[in-house]
Amino acid sequence: MIQSTLTAKAQTTLPKAVRDALGVGPGDCLRYIVSDDDVRILAVRPVERLFGVIKYDGPPVSLDEMDRAIAEGATRE
């Protein structure tokens, strides 16, 4: 079990094992989900970190082509 202590200002330091598990460091944001007696801590991932996650090896696609594909997909049942 990993634990930390609250200071007089209700602050704590996330233990290294928790920071490593979340993949966070200085300046990163955290989100807290409170549910009954449980609290979950999630790392907030900036959109910039998603760049390059999805690989596409096809030809470049224009914004008009993307808009058209989205519109066609929205009308399908």
Side-chain angles (χ1 to χ4, degrees):
M1 180 191 318
I2 301 170
Q3 67 182 39
S4 62
T5 304
L6 282 179
T7 67
K9 292 183 177 183
Q11 298 172 337
T12 190
T13 298
L14 287 178
K16 183 174 181 342
V18 175
R19 294 190 312 267
D20 290 347
L22 292 172
V24 295
D28 287 340
C29 291
L30 301 173
R31 181 170 290 143
Y32 301 90
I33 299 173
V34 180
S35 174
D36 298 324
D37 292 335
D38 288 336
V39 177
R40 295 184 65 200
I41 302 173
L42 305 172
V44 177
R45 303 286 180 218
V47 123
E48 292 84 21
R49 285 193 183 177
L50 296 176
F51 182 78
V53 169
I54 299 175
K55 303 297 180 202
Y56 177 71
D57 293 329
V61 179
S62 72
L63 289 176
D64 288 336
E65 291 171 308
M66 286 186 228
D67 288 340
R68 192 171 22 260
I70 291 168
E72 288 173 9
T75 59
R76 286 190 207 149
E77 290 184 21

